[in-house]
Amino acid sequence: MYEYCCHLEPGNTNRLNINALVPFKYEDPIRKMILQFKYYYNFKHCRFFAYHMSKAINLYLNHCLYKEVILVPVPLSSEKLFQRGYNQAFILCEYISKYIENVNIELLLVKNQNISQKDSRYMDRFGNSNNIILCDNVDFSIINNKCIILIDDVIASGATVNQCIQELESMNYKYRLNNHIIVSAISII
């Protein structure tokens, strides 16, 4: 019934080679629902998105060697967090966790600058995304041998998600962890 995996390929769109579990196309009415959730505190839509994202994730996990899951929200700048009062990716993680077994939410990444991707030109986003870093206080013993699922609301250029993946992969290498990393989002622009 569900076709969930979307593959972002490099090429004319300058998108990166990222596999993502994405249940919806970024078109109305989904686009309007995302905007209501992201900017107007409409968490009713969040439940709907989390349910469908968890369907995609559970389908993926049925064929994955890792049975324990860590949901990692894409970090939000402190300025955006102050303006909105919440990180929509973290809220998605909380709702998704209700539909998945053996799951924890971990804040592994932070933004160390306040550069908004929304108002950046497409190619500038790749330079702006270099402000995501690994948190200082990560307990690596609790995240080893897990399926790490990076959660975002929308993937536009793929630059932010790519930077997050690079940080998580570098964490795996540096601390000799054995984690599998995938991405899930509501939609791709």
Side-chain angles (χ1 to χ4, degrees):
M1 178 177 172
Y2 292 102
E3 284 275 337
Y4 280 106
C5 191
C6 179
H7 186 73
L8 304 181
E9 296 181 6
N12 295 339
T13 61
N14 292 319
R15 291 210 174 160
L16 303 163
N17 192 8
I18 301 170
N19 284 315
L21 302 170
V22 179
F24 300 107
K25 293 181 180 177
Y26 192 75
E27 56 192 23
D28 289 337
I30 296 300
R31 183 187 69 80
K32 288 180 181 175
M33 291 169 66
I34 291 170
L35 295 176
Q36 286 290 313
F37 163 56
K38 190 170 184 169
Y39 298 112
Y40 300 104
Y41 311 98
N42 193 332
F43 292 171
K44 171 182 69 174
H45 296 320
C46 183
R47 280 189 283 278
F48 172 79
F49 295 140
Y51 173 79
H52 288 283
M53 290 173 75
S54 68
K55 286 279 199 188
I57 292 167
N58 280 321
L59 281 173
Y60 180 83
L61 291 174
N62 287 341
H63 305 287
C64 183
L65 296 176
Y66 297 89
K67 297 305 175 195
E68 292 185 62
V69 175
I70 295 180
L71 300 177
V72 177
V74 167
L76 193 63
S77 71
S78 55
E79 180 183 309
K80 291 285 186 198
L81 186 58
F82 180 76
Q83 287 173 355
R84 287 189 199 145
Y86 64 97
N87 177 347
Q88 68 276 7
F90 182 80
I91 301 296
L92 276 170
C93 287
E94 288 183 322
Y95 279 92
I96 291 168
S97 70
K98 296 174 185 178
Y99 299 107
I100 298 175
E101 295 179 12
N102 301 317
V103 67
N104 288 310
I105 301 169
E106 296 290 337
L107 302 174
L108 300 180
L109 303 167
V110 294
K111 278 197 172 185
N112 63 357
Q113 296 175 357
N114 288 325
I115 299 171
S116 175
Q117 294 286 58
K118 179 183 174 230
D119 298 322
S120 298
R121 292 186 327 226
Y122 185 83
M123 290 309 294
D124 291 340
R125 291 178 179 212
F126 292 91
N128 293 348
S129 64
N130 290 329
N131 62 354
I132 296 172
I133 58 172
L134 194 63
C135 289
D136 290 333
N137 59 349
V138 175
D139 180 356
F140 297 107
S141 64
I142 64 168
I143 63 169
N144 197 18
N145 294 313
K146 307 278 191 313
C147 181
I148 295 178
I149 304 176
L150 186 63
I151 301 293
D152 204 357
D153 55 353
V154 175
I155 299 172
S157 66
T160 300
V161 167
N162 186 60
Q163 180 64 33
C164 291
I165 290 169
Q166 287 177 0
E167 282 297 312
L168 293 171
E169 286 176 346
S170 120
M171 170 194 73
N172 277 350
Y173 179 76
K174 182 176 180 181
Y175 298 101
R176 298 178 187 200
L177 303 176
N178 183 28
N179 293 316
H180 180 66
I181 302 166
I182 63 169
V183 177
S184 184
I186 299 168
S187 184
I188 295 177
I189 295 177

